[in-house]
Amino acid sequence: DYKAAAAGLMSLLRDTSSSVTGEYRPLTDGPVFQAEIMTHWGKRLAVGIGGGYYQFKNDELVTNATIDATTETKLKPSILGIPFFLNIHYKMALGPKAGLEAYGGPVFQITQFSSERTAASTADPLSEVESYKASVPKLGLQAGISLSLSLGNGISLAADGLYRHVKADDFVGN
């Protein structure tokens, strides 16, 4: 759990250093994309197959000082997910121009965690560089709901809410 490890490291640095600047934060910021091809089986049912991509990362700089030295550590953690999914969609009309759709199905996802850490200390003329990369394929489930409003001429405005559960653990890497 990266979030717990980052909080624990910051707590250790604050307890053992005379001063600490910067912060190891939870992973945030990154692109999210997914696409789905659907085939319709009547007025209410459809089956879709698709995939996606997401990445969350941070670039952190933490400086801590002790009695003997000052250390500057740059950390670049990243988590990347590539999900492939199969959905069954059920459509309901909410009026002449509005519709509601519920969908869900299995997910196969490849998740990769990587981190690059560079540390330089006034006590040592050499910089320390550490890279780590690990990945794991897992199965999971997803479900979502979509609300659409027809704007005319085959154009719609849609709002989706999606929940995906894939437990990525037991990473294997360098």
Side-chain angles (χ1 to χ4, degrees):
D1 180 4
Y2 175 79
K3 192 178 196 180
L9 181 56
M10 286 307 299
S11 178
L12 176 67
L13 287 174
R14 286 188 183 103
D15 289 346
T16 60
S17 302
S18 58
S19 71
V20 177
T21 60
E23 181 93 21
Y24 295 126
R25 298 170 296 153
L27 297 173
T28 58
D29 300 335
V32 176
F33 167 80
Q34 78 177 36
E36 183 174 17
I37 297 172
M38 293 174 35
T39 178
H40 298 273
W41 296 0
K43 191 174 183 179
R44 295 200 183 271
L45 287 178
V47 173
I49 188 167
Y53 171 91
Y54 65 85
Q55 183 177 26
F56 303 107
K57 60 185 178 177
N58 277 339
D59 289 341
E60 306 292 348
L61 176 62
V62 173
T63 303
N64 67 297
T66 62
I67 295 171
D68 301 327
T70 299
T71 303
E72 184 177 272
T73 305
K74 294 177 185 174
L75 183 66
K76 295 180 179 183
S78 172
I79 192 158
L80 168 105
I82 301 174
F84 300 96
F85 50 85
L86 175 70
N87 284 327
I88 295 175
H89 295 256
Y90 184 76
K91 300 176 178 193
M92 299 165 274
L94 297 178
K97 292 188 174 229
L100 183 67
E101 188 174 315
Y103 57 92
V107 177
F108 172 76
Q109 180 169 291
I110 299 165
T111 306
Q112 181 182 74
F113 176 77
S114 63
S115 180
E116 182 179 300
R117 184 180 70 84
T118 305
S121 173
T122 58
D124 187 351
L126 299 176
S127 289
E128 181 181 310
V129 178
E130 178 181 84
S131 294
Y132 177 79
K133 189 177 281 189
S135 59
V136 63
K138 290 289 184 167
L139 292 174
L141 295 171
Q142 73 176 19
I145 194 162
S146 179
L147 181 62
S148 63
L149 180 63
S150 175
L151 302 176
N153 284 342
I155 298 174
S156 296
L157 176 64
D160 284 344
L162 172 68
Y163 177 80
R164 179 177 294 137
H165 177 77
V166 179
K167 185 174 178 156
D169 56 3
D170 299 330
F171 282 90
V172 177
N174 62 349

